[in-house]
Amino acid sequence: MAIKLSTLSIGLGLFMTAVNLFGLLKPSEFKNAVRKLPRSVPLGYVFMLSATAWFMWNVKSESLSDFESLKPYLFTLFIAVGVGSCFFVQDFLAVRGLAVLMLLLGKLMVDTERWVETDWRWVIAVWAYLLVLAGMWFTVSPWRLRDLLYWATANEKRIRFGSALRFAFGVFVAFLGFKVF
């Protein structure tokens, strides 16, 4: 089941604007929420199990005949890693789960934008590759996301400025989805 780039852009853009509208309107609440994210075990469960389910769906959908006989073993291994992480790697679990979601979202974005004939698709492609790079970096060193979030929420001016930039980008991406793609 393929998703259209317009639908993906609208969804991503509206999500980005909603999250950052919160940062613009209520910066102190935004700061508190953002700073709790890296060590949130409940969010970690949600992110990691969602990422595991999404990854399993990708593996199930993949049709590499060389690996077809191995799929049951791979399913077992990947599910064990995803669920096991929730029990044995709880330190920065939310960051690790979010990092895997970033990798999967990057894949979806590149797979979706690939077939669209406009140069504006590069906005989505570059964003996707930045998500993949960030996902790899935060997987290897999850404390860096904590440090980045603490820096980005150091004061109200920084919160509002960052939220305004991300809000504007979200509006732009949604606009591309509505009018260009």
Side-chain angles (χ1 to χ4, degrees), residues 20-134:
N20 289 290
L21 184 61
F22 178 56
L24 284 170
L25 298 177
K26 298 184 177 193
S28 62
E29 288 92 342
F30 183 79
K31 173 183 176 177
N32 293 335
V34 164
R35 287 187 170 199
K36 289 178 187 174
L37 180 122
R39 294 214 182 250
S40 172
V41 174
L43 268 180
Y45 291 151
V46 170
F47 290 162
M48 188 59 76
L49 295 177
S50 298
T52 300
W54 189 356
F55 184 75
M56 295 312 301
W57 184 77
N58 283 347
V59 170
K60 182 179 182 285
S61 302
E62 192 61 46
S63 61
L64 293 173
S65 60
D66 294 342
F67 293 104
E68 203 62 40
S69 64
L70 297 175
K71 273 190 180 181
Y73 303 111
L74 293 174
F75 274 30
T76 304
L77 174 67
F78 296 145
I79 290 171
V81 168
V83 173
S85 296
C86 292
F87 293 105
F88 302 113
V89 193
Q90 289 189 351
D91 193 34
F92 291 113
L93 182 64
V95 177
R96 296 173 201 277
L98 184 61
V100 177
L101 287 172
M102 291 166 80
L103 294 168
L104 291 166
L105 181 60
K107 178 195 180 316
L108 175 66
M109 292 165 72
V110 169
D111 287 348
T112 305
E113 65 81 23
R114 177 179 299 149
W115 308 109
V116 176
E117 296 293 328
T118 176
D119 286 338
W120 286 108
R121 72 187 174 92
W122 290 107
V123 172
I124 303 300
V126 169
W127 187 15
Y129 282 108
L130 290 173
L131 282 174
V132 168
L133 288 172

